[in-house]
Amino acid sequence: MLCRFTENTKKAKNKLMWQRPPLKGSYDAVIIGGGLHGLATAYFLARNQGMNHVAVIEKRYIGFGGSGRNTAIVRANQRTKENLPLYAEGLELWPKLTDELDFNLMFFNCGNLNLAHSEAALGSMRLLVASAQFHGIKSELVDAKQCKEIVPILDISDLPTYPIMGGMYHPPGGTVRHDAVVWGLARGAARLGVHIHQGTEVTGINVQNGKVTSVETDKGKIHTPRVLNAAGGYSTLVSAMIGIRLPVHVLTIQAMVTEPLKPILHHVVSSGAYHCYANQTLKGEIATGAHMDPWPNYTTQVSARYIKHQAEALTDLMPCLKGVKFMRSWAGLADMTPDMAPIIDGNNPIQGYFMDCGWGYFGFKSGAVTGKYLAEFMASDQCPDILAPFTLRRYENHKLMGEIANPVNYGPWN
Amino acid sequence: MTDRLRNLPTMKVHPQTELTLIYAGKRLKGLASDTIATALYANGVRIFSRSLKYHRPRGLYSLDGECSNCLMDVDGIPNVRAETSLLQDNMKVEPQNVVGTPERDFMSFIDKLDRFLPAGFYYHYFHRPYRLWPFFQNRLRKAAGLGRLKPSFRMKGIFDEIYPRAEVCVIGAGPAGMQAALAAATQGLRVILLEARPWPGGFFDYRSTNDVSDIPLHQRARQLADKIEENRNIRFFPGTFMTGFYSNNLITAFQVGKETDYFDERYMEIRVESVIVATGCMERPAIFDHNDRPGIMQVACAHRLARTYGLLPGKRAIFSIGDDLGLEAAMDLFDLGLPILCVADTRSDGQAPGLVEGLEERGIPFMRGWTVSTAHGSRTLKKVTLCTLDGLENRDFKCDLLVASAGLTPSAGPLFLAQARMSYDRFTGFFLPDEMPQKVHAAGRLLGLQDPLSIEASGRLAGLSAAADCGALVKVLIKEARELLEQLPGPVRGSKFIQAPGSGRKRFVCFDEDVTVKNIYQACDLGFDHVELVKRFSTAGLGPGQGGIPGHNLPLIVAQYRRYDGDSSDPILPTTIRPPLVPAYLATYAGKSRNHPKRTPLHETMKKTPGAVFRRTGSWQRVRYFTHDFQCREEIETVRNHVGMIDVSTLGKFRVFGPDALHALQRVYVGDMSKVKEGKVKYSAMCNEDGCLMDDGVVVKTGENDYYLTSSTNRADSTAEWIRYHTRYEVWNFSLVNLTDAFGAINLAGSRSRELLQTLTDEDLSNNTFPYAGYKEFRIGGDIPVRAMRLGFLGELSYELHIPASYTRTIWDMLLEEGRPFHIQPFGLEAQNVLRLEKGHVIIGQESEIRNTLHDLGLGFLWNREKSLYKTVGAPALHFTERQNGRMKLVGFRMEDPRRPPKDGSIIVDTRIRGHVCTARYSFTLGQSIGLAHVHSDLADIGTRLEILEDDMGSKRLYAEVVPTPFYDPDGKRLKI
Amino acid sequence: MSLTISCPICGKRDGYEFRFGGEERGPRPDEEGLTHEQWCSYVHMRINKAGIQREWWYHQEGCGSWFTIERDTLTNLEVEGREET
């Protein structure tokens, strides 16, 4: 028995996805948060910027947060010209990354169908479609009949609470295996020399003369001139260490899967009116996501209300799904901003402090490409044009982004 | 059908009531109270399904639905748990994931390819060259998934939902749960008792061993059940599966209806003060090579098959067990007629002496320190190899039944969900609670107790503790109960975690996902060192059974690996358990259909109006068109030329009154509300703190410190909240009443509206006494009070009439009747949309958005900058953005081609996207196509040419010119006639 | 997660009857001398404390009053019986 294990272990050393190196006293960059954004930035720092002496600090295990809890939908049909190019490039990156990391990220290019249940919703979708088309991204408006041709299990009669009037079909979108992205990037980064420290908690960030000097962790102090806050739902807590407040509401968003079925849903379907999106995973589960509990908390607990709501919504839209069972539900933290666009900034006002947060529940789609540009930003101290609109300053400049049209209903202040 | 055992007091099936089931096209017979699985078993079915990945044959294993072995297609519903679903007459049952028949599956060759399918193999294959990936992906998708759902499938049956409340909820009606329920109920508390099986009794129910008072345990269970039934404080829910346990003791569950129930399934949300978890134990799967072969089952499965269903499993049986329950079952089954070749026990000592003697008396060979190492047989079990724990000695036995179990593990799912702090206890080998959440208690076997009396005593203690949570005075009773429990046998040492010697590749940790011990090692080898990561990578425990089968073994195997890997510091961590604990139909969760839109007081009238096309707008059902001409030409022209009317009952309506009412209005409205005069309406807007337009409406002063105001439809539900929020720090004395649903409202618009309205009232409505922007209260149609406002939203002489809800229909009908000579017609939302567009008025949410301030919408004039004293909401932002450059602006435009309006949502471009069209229509009134658009301020000047791009337009463009608004009647003359 | 909240008027009720109204951070600053940063900080910036915070709630499906409670954002449980300090 024992020899079997040692044999296993010996074999293992060269197979390891990532090593468990000891924490060093200094790194060129410290990335807080071992999720998709942090790992992608680390990977691209090492790969594109020649900065290999990088540590990724993760309090739990990699992919513990939003990266492992999202429903893995990718698309590039954003509303504004600031967001579109980033998401479009992000979408093109998945096949490339798969090849580059030699790790199958399982990009399922199934296309996304977003349902409209009113004339007004169709108008809003036209804005998205026209904008996408202007940027050369495939997207089209379809009527209810076409919706049914694309997704035959939809009910396009008048029976649902919100009858389907049409939709927006976005063929380049789909899903990516979220865990694979995290593990692929972690392996890629580790092979390029990045140190991934799981089970390590950042407890403070030290600044001298307006510059980042070091990071305190529960395993020791790390000297570094650059820190990236990529802590997702916990980013306001990290930010507080350095005295920067963020326009972020930490809410929990829930998702659930059904028992596995043979293929029946071949696209990502979503509906704003129902607060509902669904797709069938490679394993055959219908993965679906839902509402947010509208009060901030860090529990990642699910609630009874939304799994029920989700069942009502899904079976209204796709009545055959009444015969399927929910088998698992979970929740993740979403760091929501008032304008549903992320905050990407750096050296402002503290030299060497970078932030990549406020991604809410849409941080998965363009996480990898953001890492690429963020790595450029961190290495060169020059913010790439594509990231410039996401500055934190936009709030005090009274120029919220138009990624969402109407004020988000987080509370009575809007 | 096999003969059943007869005259067993523990039998639950009714031999006199035969039911039919159709399995794979064949007619079979089962008995009432059979589950689908036991009925099939009775008919000799041994292979129930084929496994997900390797298409291995799978059979009856646990009877509690912990794995996907017995997931079957029943009446077109996939993944039905045959083990726990009651048989109903004429059910059509089909095996799942089978290519061919369960006995001969053409895909079973995959089982031989396991070397090429290590854990997470799909991450490493298929992507090079990338163009082949879609092909492989398609193959993988088709291979994955278990059941098949037809797109045309429609769930039949009645799905109800209930929301019971009580003081105490007990989960599990075994001996501990029943005692707990009785203890709490005796204190006068209302108790809800949930039990997944169709009857109470738990693990007493099928055991014939005597308790101390010399009655068999099953009889003891009956006694307790009778007491439960007699107790009027206890509501007992059998066939009820707990799904969720949420904070503050909210329990969700679903109940499967019996034949006599009015429902098929019902969703339950149970809110109680205190909860007792008494869910008992399940068995730890024994790990050995081919441990999944049909013919291998757990101890309780074999025992219950015989005792509850009268089915003797197998003709030659081997037992390989790890605790006394296994020995007891062997003896009992032997006595019932099961030939047992031998009993292997992983323990070398510690067995209850009576049981060992019992085996001896019966002449059953008993092998201490032995375990099963391999099962043989290509489809079902033919032979097993037993060996000593060190693997040095082994013996083969031909057999058709292997009862295998490594011992017990608690069904602690509810405790995990309740956020109890759980840790691994080395003595019992259980994950036990270190710290329970407030008002949650655990009792019975899941604490490690095995002695029947201890189990009952712990139930009583938990019941009393729950009673104490609810305020019952039971201190003394609790003390007595605790002392009694302390005198009784405590938790029993758990059997050791043992992996059978040998290195077989088919030692399954998770049946659902075909994950073997080897797969777990492979994941660990790659560096997945956290049990949760191993779970995700290997997919162990991610199937329909969730943590059921791997829940105990996976954490131990990972911990063992890590110990050998030199990492002894890590505690043994459980995998995360998530709701629902038992998968539940979407139909069950959805419950009753709840499509109940809000209706206006005029809804019935509208429904009878020919041509009315309804739309769901927010929570309301409203008429969008009264015609199938979606351009609404007739509706629009009627308003412009004659008179029309629209149901605007959805508008928010509020009364604000009291000495500080004006302060409150000054706080939320951007205008100077001190300028509101009696008999006049004032139009104003509300902004949020960003200066973004949130709402607009009118305010009327109806008396001293008494105001009546309207909000837009969407804000009706939040206006009271808004006003109170923004005044929450003030000690202002004012009251606010939401009258939205108390009043219906009709907007009567058109140049002839005065003439028409005058026919219904004696009140002088002339322009002098009731001018534009005037407000009047009077009676029409005899005695119906109305509040009338002269408003100009649509650009014509118009009266917005607010009428008590119950009279709104009467007034509508009167107007329609009296309006005939005036060519009156009702009009809908779309006509209103065009009419107001011609006037250049904005609709919140349609022309306003989050990045616009009031200035950007051209409504800056509504803001009174002189009232900083009142801290008007949004005022600072309005100051800051008043002269800011580079903002988006709302502009009016006219199309160069008058016949061709762009569709809503079209974008405005040059080399970049510069804005978008909010609303654009062809105006029959003006003979032009006009619209409102958001453009970058560079493009906002009058006369600017706009390039418009609709969807699917390629390089073509539409062209428009920025023009001033209003488009129609810019001087507003028609409002004032 | 299933929050319950104690309304000072209606008593302990299901959390979904209420609307969250933000962290308690005092009344709005005066307009005079207000800078863009101060304004932005008041309007948008949040602490998102991980622990017990005092916060506003509105009883939407009840009496319609605004009040504050203390709640632990790590457990999502109301901390009952603590007076405002």
Side-chain angles (χ1 to χ4, degrees), chain B residues 385-608:
Chain B
T385 305
L386 299 185
C387 69
T388 51
L389 293 186
D390 53 17
L392 295 176
E393 243 186 287
N394 52 58
R395 283 178 63 186
D396 285 356
F397 294 87
K398 282 206 169 117
C399 62
D400 64 348
L401 174 70
L402 171 65
V403 179
S405 171
L408 294 175
T409 189
S411 303
L415 295 179
F416 280 104
L417 293 188
Q419 314 288 325
R421 222 178 55 215
M422 308 287 287
S423 70
Y424 187 75
D425 175 66
R426 290 182 192 275
F427 179 72
T428 50
F430 285 14
F431 283 104
L432 291 179
D434 286 336
E435 195 185 312
M436 294 288 276
Q438 278 193 343
K439 301 186 180 182
V440 181
H441 309 273
R445 284 209 292 165
L446 87 170
L447 294 175
L449 301 172
Q450 288 299 336
D451 179 79
L453 280 183
S454 309
I455 288 166
E456 287 192 36
S458 81
R460 181 172 158 74
L461 176 60
L464 291 169
S465 307
D469 291 341
C470 306
L473 301 171
V474 286
K475 257 192 185 159
V476 180
L477 291 176
I478 288 181
K479 188 166 165 275
E480 287 167 10
R482 182 168 291 125
E483 282 167 4
L484 173 67
L485 181 60
E486 277 161 7
Q487 286 159 19
L488 293 165
V492 171
R493 177 189 291 278
S495 35
K496 274 185 285 185
F497 171 67
I498 284 163
Q499 279 200 57
S503 57
R505 302 200 313 271
K506 294 292 166 57
R507 296 188 288 173
F508 286 92
V509 176
C510 175
F511 294 170
D512 292 8
E513 301 275 320
D514 273 344
V515 180
T516 61
V517 174
K518 195 176 161 73
N519 293 146
I520 304 298
Y521 293 157
Q522 284 161 345
C524 293
D525 284 348
L526 287 170
F528 291 97
D529 43 12
H530 192 285
V531 67
E532 204 59 33
L533 285 178
V534 174
K535 174 175 141 185
R536 285 193 197 177
F537 187 76
S538 69
T539 73
L542 293 180
Q546 294 288 293
I549 296 293
H552 181 84
N553 288 327
L554 178 64
L556 293 178
I557 295 172
V558 172
Q560 200 182 39
Y561 181 98
R562 295 199 58 169
R563 268 202 306 282
Y564 282 112
D565 202 20
D567 196 340
S568 56
S569 59
D570 278 35
I572 298 172
L573 297 175
T575 54
T576 312
I577 291 177
R578 304 179 185 284
L581 271 188
V582 178
Y585 289 116
L586 267 64
T588 307
Y589 270 116
K592 294 173 177 169
S593 167
R594 253 188 304 203
N595 183 5
H596 301 147
K598 271 184 90 172
R599 296 169 168 194
T600 75
L602 290 169
H603 187 81
E604 289 304 315
T605 309
M606 296 298 166
K607 257 173 69 182
K608 286 180 201 138

Side-chain angles (χ1 to χ4, degrees), chain A residues 73-371:
Chain A
I73 297 167
V74 294
R75 57 184 172 84
N77 50 3
Q78 269 44 46
R79 189 168 188 264
T80 57
K81 61 177 183 294
E82 291 83 7
N83 280 274
L84 272 165
L86 191 67
Y87 284 77
E89 190 181 339
L91 204 47
E92 285 164 13
L93 198 59
W94 300 116
K96 287 182 205 160
L97 261 184
T98 297
D99 194 55
E100 202 175 297
L101 298 170
D102 190 17
F103 200 75
N104 195 342
L105 307 180
M106 288 188 270
F107 176 36
F108 179 34
N109 178 205
C110 57
N112 308 40
L113 179 68
N114 196 341
L115 301 170
H117 305 272
S118 67
E119 281 86 354
L122 276 171
S124 310
M125 280 179 191
R126 180 167 293 104
L127 170 53
L128 304 190
V129 167
S131 302
Q133 289 177 351
F134 185 77
H135 280 267
I137 302 161
K138 268 194 199 158
S139 220
E140 58 178 314
L141 283 176
V142 290
D143 61 22
K145 256 192 182 156
Q146 289 168 303
C147 287
K148 175 108 182 147
E149 280 161 24
I150 297 166
V151 179
I153 60 174
L154 284 175
D155 180 355
I156 57 166
S157 74
D158 285 340
L159 290 173
T161 305
Y162 302 101
I164 296 167
M165 293 188 65
M168 166 171 63
Y169 183 46
H170 175 55
T175 61
V176 171
R177 176 93 185 120
H178 55 352
D179 284 337
V181 176
V182 169
W183 299 334
L185 283 169
R187 187 178 74 164
R191 284 184 177 172
L192 293 168
V194 170
H195 285 190
I196 299 167
H197 300 288
Q198 303 185 69
T200 306
E201 184 179 359
V202 170
T203 54
I205 301 168
N206 300 317
V207 177
Q208 255 173 22
N209 304 326
K211 286 182 184 172
V212 169
T213 54
S214 59
V215 172
E216 305 279 353
T217 77
D218 59 351
K219 305 266 164 73
K221 188 175 189 165
I222 308 168
H223 292 276
T224 183
R226 282 176 210 87
V227 173
L228 171 66
N229 176 359
Y234 308 90
S235 53
T236 45
L237 301 180
V238 172
S239 194
M241 293 176 187
I242 206 163
I244 294 177
R245 286 209 285 166
L246 296 174
V248 159
H249 298 261
V250 181
L251 305 180
T252 49
I253 183 162
Q254 304 183 21
M256 46 229 94
V257 292
T258 67
E259 290 182 341
L261 294 173
K262 295 289 177 195
I264 186 164
L265 178 61
H266 309 281
H267 299 82
V268 177
V269 178
S270 60
S271 160
Y274 280 101
H275 285 274
C276 168
Y277 44 91
N279 65 278
Q280 191 170 14
T281 66
L282 192 66
K283 288 183 66 192
E285 304 147 341
I286 310 271
T288 175
H291 272 276
M292 291 189 288
D293 265 319
W295 47 80
N297 71 87
Y298 290 95
T299 62
T300 69
Q301 286 169 19
V302 292
S303 62
R305 189 185 185 90
Y306 290 133
I307 190 167
K308 181 163 190 355
H309 166 88
Q310 209 59 19
E312 289 167 8
L314 276 180
T315 57
D316 225 14
L317 289 170
M318 297 173 266
C320 67
L321 295 184
K322 278 196 173 178
V324 193
K325 289 171 173 171
F326 273 137
M327 87 177 171
R328 184 164 65 244
S329 63
W330 66 93
L333 300 186
D335 42 342
M336 307 297 296
T337 60
D339 51 1
M340 299 280 266
I343 297 158
I344 307 171
D345 216 329
N347 297 330
N348 183 8
I350 294 161
Q351 195 67 29
Y353 178 74
F354 295 83
M355 51 191 131
D356 175 25
C357 39
W359 280 96
Y361 52 68
F362 38 88
F364 182 70
K365 306 169 202 338
S366 59
V369 70
T370 303

Side-chain angles (χ1 to χ4, degrees), chain C residues 16-30:
Chain C
Y16 290 105
E17 289 184 9
F18 299 82
R19 251 202 7 132
F20 177 68
E23 302 161 359
E24 158 62 0
R25 55 208 163 118
R28 193 184 114 177
D30 282 328

